[in-house]
Amino acid sequence: MSLSEMKENKEAVITEIQGDTRFLSRITSIGLTPGCRVSVVKNDKARPVLVYSRDTMIALNRNECSGIQVEEVMA
């Protein structure tokens, strides 16, 4: 599933990142890489998705999130 489909207060592991070279460079430079664990803090329909990863809070627009594939981690 894509990161934009995740529910709030859920954790996932990034499995794949799809996009152009500029997008991939930007996303990986902020620490979001395949195998990275992320927690969805806020996911409102018309707002950016707020995630917490590697001791950093990151806001991603919904288009960016659709290119980030994740697998939910069961508690």
Side-chain angles (χ1 to χ4, degrees), residues 44-73:
D44 293 334
K45 290 283 183 195
R47 302 264 181 188
V49 178
L50 193 59
V51 298
Y52 183 78
S53 179
R54 300 183 188 215
D55 296 326
T56 305
M57 195 72 69
I58 304 165
L60 300 166
N61 72 41
R62 301 194 85 67
N63 289 338
E64 293 173 334
C65 290
S66 64
I68 301 173
Q69 299 299 308
V70 297
E71 186 175 300
E72 189 172 342
V73 176

Side-chain angles (χ1 to χ4, degrees), residues 4-73:
S4 60
E5 298 174 86
M6 290 289 299
K7 303 282 186 209
E8 290 181 10
N9 303 314
K10 297 287 183 179
E11 290 191 6
V13 173
I14 297 175
T15 57
E16 183 180 5
I17 301 174
Q18 304 166 341
D20 62 15
T21 305
R22 183 177 164 269
F23 172 71
L24 293 172
S25 175
R26 193 171 74 76
I27 290 299
T28 56
S29 72
I30 59 176
L32 297 180
T33 57
C36 177
R37 195 176 188 125
V38 295
S39 299
V40 178
V41 176
K42 197 84 165 154
N43 190 359
D44 293 334
K45 290 283 183 195
R47 302 264 181 188
V49 178
L50 193 59
V51 298
Y52 183 78
S53 179
R54 300 183 188 215
D55 296 326
T56 305
M57 195 72 69
I58 304 165
L60 300 166
N61 72 41
R62 301 194 85 67
N63 289 338
E64 293 173 334
C65 290
S66 64
I68 301 173
Q69 299 299 308
V70 297
E71 186 175 300
E72 189 172 342
V73 176

